[in-house]
Amino acid sequence: MEKTLVLIKPDGVKKGLGKKIVKYYQNAGLKMIKRKEIDPTPQLLKQHYFAHVAKPFYPDLEKFMLSSHIVVMIFEGSDAVAIARKVTGATDPAKAEKGTIRRDLGDLSLPDDDRIMMNLVHASATKEEAEREIKLWFG
Ligand code: GDP
């Protein structure tokens, strides 16, 4: 069985969307096998987002990710990585397909840059990324 990592970002937590978000993954056939709430450190976030640390938007992204606790989960199922990405939707909620978390539950009224950043969830992009991120967040 494949495993993937999903984070509920601070916007999802503050809006109380946790249960709704989990249902999207479960309805797509995935099983939540681990869940914890965590106040991430800047160091942990830099490791998680290592590919983005040097980008101009990173300081805002880190500040946003530190603005409340986050929920860290592992979902399991056949093809879990691809299924979780599909259910999550495109990075920009306005470009995500209907039926995805980011499109259905995202705030399309925000200015472009905030909307792209505050997109409710993270889901690992590849199997390798999933393995790395599961180790990072769950040890
Ligand atoms: P994802 O795999 O769809 O989450 O997207 P990426 O790996 O490309 O980016 C990681 C996260 O960084 C996104 O989910 C957004 O929260 C944030 N992000 C990406 N691009 C931008 C941007 O241009 N501006 C801002 N402010 N945040 C961004």
Side-chain angles (χ1 to χ4, degrees):
M1 275 292 181
E2 199 169 286
K3 293 183 176 63
T4 194
L5 185 106
V6 170
L7 306 179
I8 303 181
K9 296 180 176 182
D11 52 341
V13 170
K14 287 181 208 163
K15 288 175 183 165
L17 291 172
K19 281 192 182 139
K20 259 192 187 171
I21 287 171
V22 167
K23 273 263 172 262
Y24 271 77
Y25 296 109
Q26 288 172 334
N27 289 344
L30 302 180
K31 189 176 167 195
M32 187 171 67
I33 58 166
K34 282 197 180 175
R35 178 192 185 280
K36 65 177 178 183
E37 294 180 8
I38 180 168
D39 286 300
T41 60
Q43 292 88 324
L44 195 51
L45 290 169
K46 285 188 177 81
Q47 286 176 282
H48 176 74
Y49 281 130
F50 77 97
H52 301 298
V53 169
K55 294 184 182 167
F57 64 78
Y58 186 74
D60 285 342
L61 178 62
E62 187 177 284
K63 196 171 156 206
F64 162 60
M65 291 297 292
L66 292 170
S67 67
S68 85
H69 72 268
I70 58 172
V71 181
V72 191
M73 298 172 289
I74 300 175
F75 281 91
E76 184 180 71
S78 158
D79 227 7
V81 173
I83 289 172
R85 286 289 283 190
K86 192 165 182 2
V87 171
T88 295
T91 310
D92 180 351
K95 293 187 182 138
E97 280 180 45
K98 286 187 183 154
T100 65
I101 293 165
R102 284 171 169 169
R103 175 61 180 266
D104 293 359
L105 307 179
D107 186 349
L108 302 183
S109 71
L110 289 171
D112 289 5
D113 205 48
D114 287 350
R115 190 186 66 230
I116 292 167
M117 182 168 71
M118 299 185 205
N119 55 9
L120 300 172
V121 281
H122 163 86
S124 310
T126 63
K127 276 190 222 178
E128 293 70 32
E129 196 174 288
E131 278 172 27
R132 189 185 76 82
E133 292 176 350
I134 286 168
K135 268 196 206 130
L136 181 67
W137 291 98
F138 284 96

mmCIF file of all heavy atoms in Angstrom, residues 7 13 15 36 52 111 114 123 133 137:
data_model
loop_
_atom_site.group_PDB
_atom_site.id
_atom_site.type_symbol
_atom_site.label_atom_id
_atom_site.label_comp_id
_atom_site.label_asym_id
_atom_site.label_seq_id
_atom_site.Cartn_x
_atom_site.Cartn_y
_atom_site.Cartn_z
ATOM 1 N N LEU A 7 -0.792 17.910 4.673
ATOM 2 C CA LEU A 7 -0.817 18.905 5.759
ATOM 3 C C LEU A 7 -2.060 19.768 5.587
ATOM 4 O O LEU A 7 -2.356 20.199 4.468
ATOM 5 C CB LEU A 7 0.365 19.868 5.669
ATOM 6 C CG LEU A 7 1.798 19.378 5.608
ATOM 7 C CD1 LEU A 7 2.739 20.585 5.501
ATOM 8 C CD2 LEU A 7 2.130 18.583 6.846
ATOM 9 N N VAL A 13 -7.033 25.206 9.087
ATOM 10 C CA VAL A 13 -7.245 25.017 10.528
ATOM 11 C C VAL A 13 -8.127 26.129 11.075
ATOM 12 O O VAL A 13 -9.127 25.878 11.751
ATOM 13 C CB VAL A 13 -5.882 25.001 11.265
ATOM 14 C CG1 VAL A 13 -6.078 25.046 12.774
ATOM 15 C CG2 VAL A 13 -5.067 23.764 10.863
ATOM 16 N N LYS A 15 -10.223 28.042 9.647
ATOM 17 C CA LYS A 15 -11.604 28.027 9.149
ATOM 18 C C LYS A 15 -12.364 26.778 9.602
ATOM 19 O O LYS A 15 -13.514 26.575 9.199
ATOM 20 C CB LYS A 15 -11.604 28.083 7.622
ATOM 21 C CG LYS A 15 -11.201 29.446 7.090
ATOM 22 C CD LYS A 15 -11.109 29.414 5.575
ATOM 23 C CE LYS A 15 -10.645 30.748 5.032
ATOM 24 N NZ LYS A 15 -10.203 30.649 3.627
ATOM 25 N N LYS A 36 -1.615 14.165 13.475
ATOM 26 C CA LYS A 36 -1.217 14.906 14.670
ATOM 27 C C LYS A 36 -1.280 16.396 14.388
ATOM 28 O O LYS A 36 -1.185 16.822 13.231
ATOM 29 C CB LYS A 36 0.172 14.495 15.156
ATOM 30 C CG LYS A 36 1.307 14.820 14.216
ATOM 31 C CD LYS A 36 2.639 14.417 14.847
ATOM 32 C CE LYS A 36 3.786 14.703 13.892
ATOM 33 N NZ LYS A 36 5.080 14.274 14.397
ATOM 34 N N HIS A 52 11.759 25.718 -2.134
ATOM 35 C CA HIS A 52 11.214 27.078 -2.284
ATOM 36 C C HIS A 52 11.915 28.118 -1.411
ATOM 37 O O HIS A 52 11.590 29.296 -1.499
ATOM 38 C CB HIS A 52 9.722 27.086 -1.930
ATOM 39 C CG HIS A 52 8.898 26.171 -2.779
ATOM 40 N ND1 HIS A 52 8.778 26.322 -4.138
ATOM 41 C CD2 HIS A 52 8.166 25.078 -2.462
ATOM 42 C CE1 HIS A 52 8.000 25.364 -4.619
ATOM 43 N NE2 HIS A 52 7.621 24.593 -3.629
ATOM 44 N N PRO A 111 -6.589 38.370 -3.092
ATOM 45 C CA PRO A 111 -5.665 38.812 -4.137
ATOM 46 C C PRO A 111 -4.802 37.629 -4.603
ATOM 47 O O PRO A 111 -4.528 36.714 -3.813
ATOM 48 C CB PRO A 111 -4.788 39.843 -3.429
ATOM 49 C CG PRO A 111 -5.430 40.136 -2.126
ATOM 50 C CD PRO A 111 -6.411 39.053 -1.815
ATOM 51 N N ASP A 114 -1.932 35.984 -2.355
ATOM 52 C CA ASP A 114 -2.447 35.373 -1.121
ATOM 53 C C ASP A 114 -3.227 34.106 -1.438
ATOM 54 O O ASP A 114 -3.153 33.111 -0.721
ATOM 55 C CB ASP A 114 -3.381 36.348 -0.390
ATOM 56 C CG ASP A 114 -2.618 37.471 0.272
ATOM 57 O OD1 ASP A 114 -1.379 37.399 0.340
ATOM 58 O OD2 ASP A 114 -3.268 38.444 0.703
ATOM 59 N N ALA A 123 -0.065 18.338 -0.296
ATOM 60 C CA ALA A 123 -0.016 16.886 -0.503
ATOM 61 C C ALA A 123 1.256 16.573 -1.280
ATOM 62 O O ALA A 123 1.581 17.276 -2.250
ATOM 63 C CB ALA A 123 -1.238 16.407 -1.276
ATOM 64 N N GLU A 133 8.921 13.324 3.185
ATOM 65 C CA GLU A 133 8.088 14.168 4.048
ATOM 66 C C GLU A 133 7.503 13.372 5.224
ATOM 67 O O GLU A 133 7.339 13.918 6.321
ATOM 68 C CB GLU A 133 6.974 14.811 3.217
ATOM 69 C CG GLU A 133 7.535 15.835 2.224
ATOM 70 C CD GLU A 133 6.499 16.445 1.293
ATOM 71 O OE1 GLU A 133 5.346 15.956 1.262
ATOM 72 O OE2 GLU A 133 6.854 17.408 0.593
ATOM 73 N N TRP A 137 8.173 14.637 9.048
ATOM 74 C CA TRP A 137 7.111 15.053 9.981
ATOM 75 C C TRP A 137 6.799 14.013 11.039
ATOM 76 O O TRP A 137 6.298 14.346 12.107
ATOM 77 C CB TRP A 137 5.841 15.420 9.208
ATOM 78 C CG TRP A 137 5.999 16.679 8.402
ATOM 79 C CD1 TRP A 137 6.288 16.761 7.080
ATOM 80 C CD2 TRP A 137 5.932 18.040 8.870
ATOM 81 N NE1 TRP A 137 6.390 18.078 6.686
ATOM 82 C CE2 TRP A 137 6.173 18.879 7.763
ATOM 83 C CE3 TRP A 137 5.688 18.619 10.119
ATOM 84 C CZ2 TRP A 137 6.177 20.279 7.876
ATOM 85 C CZ3 TRP A 137 5.685 20.012 10.214
ATOM 86 C CH2 TRP A 137 5.925 20.825 9.103
#
